[in-house]
Amino acid sequence: MTTQIGILVIGNEILDGIVLDTNSQWLINQLKALNFQVSEKMTVRDEIQVISKALRRMLLAGANLIFTTGGLGPTHDDKTLAGVAMAFELPVELNDKALTIVTRQYTEMHQRGVIETGEITEPRRKMAILPKGARPLDNRVGGAPGVVLDVEGAQIICLPGVPGELMWIFDNQLLALLKGMIEGVFAEEVIYLPLRDESTLAPIIDEVMQDVPGVYIKSMVKPYGESGIRLWVSSSGQSQTEVEERVHRVANLLVRRCEEQLPQG
Amino acid sequence: MTTQIGILVIGNEILDGIVLDTNSQWLINQLKALNFQVSEKMTVRDEIQVISKALRRMLLAGANLIFTTGGLGPTHDDKTLAGVAMAFELPVELNDKALTIVTRQYTEMHQRGVIETGEITEPRRKMAILPKGARPLDNRVGGAPGVVLDVEGAQIICLPGVPGELMWIFDNQLLALLKGMIEGVFAEEVIYLPLRDESTLAPIIDEVMQDVPGVYIKSMVKPYGESGIRLWVSSSGQSQTEVEERVHRVANLLVRRCEEQLPQG
């Protein structure tokens, strides 16, 4: 079955113009590197019924892999999981694994002195209440676990709206799952470069992408707050050897050109 | 009848991660200033049937004012008007007023030396072919007229995807129309709190929202990369004084309760 992907962006802050949604573009580019195309995106308000209907509408339009972003936090306006539960007529229940994640995160934040108490208050406990049958995705950046639910022949993946948390969960908890869904073969190499300025890298990336077609290069500055730049070089096709060779060639080319042309810092 | 607004963003460049959609945020903020709230946003690919279906889905969800952005240009992948025509089973026809706009724009661009010829070629003429019953909106920035269509009790407003053209048409051709549609008045205050943990704030927000009905409170952590939390307090109604007073009272209440109950950090 072909994967048909929808992204459901949830949050009044987007539809009220307060926040510019950049999460979905980031997601789209990561998915593109895995050879997936996104069919449509919807953006809706923080209302349980509205979220539920949006999910039903996306399924009806043929989506079988839906990413939601936002609405997993502790406050009253975080309603994504209640919306997912309503869409599939599932009860919600406290998920032990999710509670372990939430507890660990707040304990650690308390130990680091970021928050006053590590106690699992009602708002924090709320983040571990998932639709029945869903499983949590670890989150080591913030407090809200991601969520995966397999239901009605579709997969629903709920990610937090805070960009760093969404990115961490995607890179560390979802890549393996998504790689298993790729049609054809796929290869990727990650390169770290001790550079400060992404803009000096842009023409080198453009050059290399022109020299070796069929390769996707994604760059990110300080992806998780670290200094430097991280590059993801990926490609897909029919032959594993060919794809791996192509990715490796481009990775080497990038490192060499950067060493030749850029000051290290 | 209440105005229920949907925004339909049309363009593969958005769903392929090449372009970040900033048009819809701009539109949302302009509409907000006029006391309109946007209910939902959809982003779809450049396919006639997909555009048509998205419009039908938005109408079904209750939208009676739909803005589309993108897909009005001269190239083969500009399919918005064909999608609108299909959604409402309308024939398309050359619109004389639209052709006058297109002709004037290309003549002027030619005179300014921006383009080689001002001739109305087939691709340029295409921009003046509108769904039957639609009327063009003047565009003095680029070549593609905007389009307004009143149909099935709804109003469809098609704007170009080039930000400068979209903005010009909105400000110069739509403001009068939209101001005539405003219901009631609107007020908003933004509060900044030097807190680190959103979860401790949740019960205070709930309490205040219960104490003063008719007010919406939205919280966000580190909204502009700054530390702390930002709160948006808004309300709408019939009397400007009453609405402003209500928002101001809640803003003060929130600040006071946070100062009383939460450690500052």
Side-chain angles (χ1 to χ4, degrees), chain B residues 191 193 195 200-212 217 231 249-264:
Chain B
I191 312 168
L193 295 169
L195 299 169
T200 57
L201 197 63
I204 298 178
I205 293 178
D206 289 345
E207 211 178 281
V208 172
M209 279 179 82
Q210 272 182 355
D211 289 0
V212 190
I217 303 172
L231 292 172
R249 185 152 45 97
V250 166
N252 286 341
L253 205 57
L254 273 169
V255 172
R256 202 165 58 242
R257 296 225 179 134
C258 287
E259 281 170 357
E260 284 164 13
Q261 294 174 36
L262 299 179
Q264 306 293 303

Side-chain angles (χ1 to χ4, degrees), chain A:
Chain A
M1 196 174 55
T2 315
T3 307
Q4 192 172 324
I5 302 182
I7 296 178
L8 178 59
V9 177
I10 297 165
N12 290 6
E13 69 275 23
I14 312 284
L15 289 178
D16 289 335
I18 295 159
V19 169
L20 179 67
D21 163 40
T22 55
N23 281 336
S24 58
Q25 190 187 31
W26 186 87
L27 265 181
I28 284 168
N29 278 314
Q30 300 312 110
L31 291 166
K32 194 169 146 184
L34 296 167
N35 205 23
F36 290 114
Q37 201 181 58
V38 172
S39 298
E40 69 164 327
K41 183 172 82 174
M42 282 182 75
T43 308
V44 298
R45 296 192 162 268
D46 301 304
E47 291 164 31
I48 297 172
Q49 203 166 9
V50 166
I51 297 166
S52 163
K53 277 190 188 168
L55 286 166
R56 299 294 337 167
R57 284 162 68 191
M58 291 186 112
L59 289 170
L60 235 131
N64 51 24
L65 176 58
I66 299 176
F67 291 87
T68 74
T69 67
L72 297 184
T75 59
H76 71 98
D77 57 355
D78 290 305
K79 295 174 177 167
T80 297
L81 297 179
V84 171
M86 185 191 246
F88 301 103
E89 296 178 352
L90 295 169
V92 293
E93 54 184 27
L94 186 72
N95 181 293
D96 288 339
K97 280 187 186 162
L99 188 62
T100 307
I101 298 168
V102 174
T103 307
R104 186 202 62 218
Q105 285 303 102
Y106 279 97
T107 305
E108 282 180 8
M109 283 190 262
H110 176 53
Q111 284 165 353
R112 289 207 316 271
V114 178
I115 50 177
E116 282 300 309
T117 166
E119 194 198 332
I120 298 307
T121 56
E122 207 49 48
R124 290 175 183 171
R125 193 171 169 276
K126 172 179 168 285
M127 296 188 279
I129 297 176
L130 314 188
K132 197 179 165 79
R135 57 184 199 278
L137 296 168
D138 198 7
N139 178 354
R140 297 214 169 232
V141 176
V147 173
V148 178
L149 176 68
D150 293 297
V151 65
E152 296 185 21
Q155 192 152 46
I156 317 294
I157 298 175
C158 304
L159 299 171
V162 179
E165 300 185 33
L166 173 136
M167 290 172 186
W168 191 92
I169 296 177
F170 189 94
D171 286 345
N172 294 281
Q173 301 291 302
L174 286 178
L175 270 190
L177 176 83
L178 291 168
K179 281 177 182 168
M181 294 162 68
I182 292 172
E183 288 152 37
V185 295
F186 173 84
E188 183 180 51
E189 278 188 35
V190 185
I191 311 168
Y192 173 80
L193 296 170
L195 299 170
R196 282 199 191 128
D197 178 15
E198 202 183 14
S199 68
T200 56
L201 198 62
I204 298 178
I205 292 177
D206 290 345
E207 209 181 280
V208 171
M209 279 179 82
Q210 272 186 354
D211 287 0
V212 191
V215 166
Y216 183 71
I217 303 171
K218 170 84 195 159
S219 66
M220 268 190 67
V221 180
K222 303 184 187 173
Y224 311 118
E226 68 198 2
S227 67
I229 293 177
R230 214 168 258 273
L231 291 173
W232 285 261
V233 180
S234 63
S235 186
S236 59
Q238 291 311 311
S239 143
Q240 189 71 42
T241 328
E242 184 198 305
V243 167
E244 277 174 9
E245 188 276 329
R246 189 159 55 220
V247 166
H248 196 62
R249 187 152 45 98
V250 167
N252 286 342
L253 206 55
L254 273 169
V255 172
R256 203 167 57 241
R257 296 223 180 138
C258 288
E259 282 169 357
E260 285 165 10
Q261 295 174 34
L262 300 180
Q264 305 294 300

